[in-house]
């Protein structure tokens, strides 16, 4: 494996790795939202209730390694499934996934105006995730916040690098014709 030669290359590798990870996650979110449209709620509930043995095993494992909130979340998942919750999940997954996929595609293409847009969108997601954390105590929301903060930092650094390259080369078309990475 080749070593990273300088800070700029490290930024490129880090940024592209985050873009790839977030792209995969956004795609899975969007597909999950589509699946929720076509999978009946009763089937989802029945599947969760048939997994009692697995839930019990996860619950005992989580208790053994002090992940009580995680085990409680798994144990109560079937009880929280309602038509309203499913509709919210569908809308959230489709909207959140689609917005991320569009902004990530723009970032992959290095469209300059998409960098501030992406940062603004990530700030909105962070605010929502913090709201959810304080309302429901979901640790996963804090993890998502941390990932989004890292993505904002990398996006800002990449944006500054591209702007510097454009001002040095004199035009945006030179950016597309030359290899920035």
């Amino acid at each position: 494996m080749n070593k990273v030669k300088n800070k700029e290359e490290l930024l490129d590798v880090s940024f592209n790795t985050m873009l790839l990870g977030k792209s995969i996650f956004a795609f899975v979110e969007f597909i999950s939202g589509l699946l929720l449209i076509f999978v009946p709620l009763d089937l989802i509930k029945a599947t969760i209730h048939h997994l009692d043995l697995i839930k019990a095993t996860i619950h005992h494992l989580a208790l053994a390694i002090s992940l009580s909130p995680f085990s409680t979340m798994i144990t109560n998942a079937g009880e929280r499934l309602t038509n309203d919750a499913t509709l919210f999940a569908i809308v959230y997954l489709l909207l959140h996934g689609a917005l991320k996929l569009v902004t990530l595609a723009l970032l992959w293409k290095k469209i300059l105006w998409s960098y501030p847009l992406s940062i603004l969108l990530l700030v909105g997601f962070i605010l929502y995730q913090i709201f959810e954390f304080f309302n429901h105590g979901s640790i996963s929301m804090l993890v998502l916040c941390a990932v989004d903060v890292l993505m904002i930092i990398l996006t800002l650094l990449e944006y500054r690098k591209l702007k510097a390259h454009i001002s040095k080369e004199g035009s945006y078309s030179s950016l597309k014709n030359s290899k920035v990475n």
Side-chain angles (χ1 to χ4, degrees):
M1 183 180 274
N2 294 336
K3 288 187 177 180
V4 176
K5 296 177 183 124
N6 58 37
K7 283 193 237 180
E8 190 171 301
E9 195 173 317
L10 177 62
L11 170 63
D12 290 337
V13 169
S14 300
F15 183 71
N16 289 333
T17 302
M18 285 293 284
L19 274 181
L20 179 62
K22 288 191 83 56
S23 297
I24 291 168
F25 190 74
F27 181 74
V28 169
E29 270 185 324
F30 189 77
I31 295 300
S32 298
L34 287 177
L35 286 175
L36 281 176
I37 291 172
F38 299 108
V39 176
L41 182 59
D42 292 337
L43 179 61
I44 295 171
K45 285 183 177 182
T47 303
I48 289 174
H49 289 300
H50 282 70
L51 298 175
D52 281 339
L53 180 60
I54 294 172
K55 288 193 305 186
T57 304
I58 291 172
H59 179 74
H60 291 299
L61 179 63
L63 287 175
I65 57 175
S66 299
L67 291 175
S68 183
F70 178 71
S71 67
T72 304
M73 179 185 70
I74 297 265
T75 305
N76 296 330
E79 297 166 8
R80 288 193 307 264
L81 279 176
T82 64
N83 289 330
D84 290 342
T86 305
L87 179 61
F88 174 78
I90 290 169
V91 171
Y92 176 80
L93 290 170
L94 288 175
L95 186 62
H96 192 251
L99 284 172
K100 284 195 334 189
L101 284 172
V102 168
T103 56
L104 290 165
L106 293 170
L107 290 176
W108 278 113
K109 290 184 172 200
K110 297 194 181 300
I111 307 291
L112 199 59
W113 57 264
S114 68
Y115 288 80
L117 173 67
S118 179
I119 291 169
L120 188 65
L121 192 61
L122 286 167
V123 167
F125 291 152
I126 288 171
L127 292 174
Y128 174 75
Q129 290 157 0
I130 290 171
F131 173 78
E132 282 297 308
F133 171 74
F134 283 117
N135 282 332
H136 302 291
S138 176
I139 299 297
S140 61
M141 289 296 145
L142 290 182
V143 172
L144 290 174
C145 283
V147 170
D148 285 346
V149 166
L150 179 59
M151 186 65 192
I152 286 172
I153 292 167
L154 290 171
T155 303
L156 188 58
L157 292 172
E158 184 74 9
Y159 179 65
R160 287 180 180 168
K161 183 184 85 167
L162 289 176
K163 282 187 72 165
H165 181 80
I166 289 169
S167 65
K168 182 175 136 183
E169 297 294 323
S171 75
Y172 186 71
S173 61
S174 66
L175 172 65
K176 289 184 176 185
N177 296 331
S178 68
K179 186 175 182 204
V180 178
N181 299 331

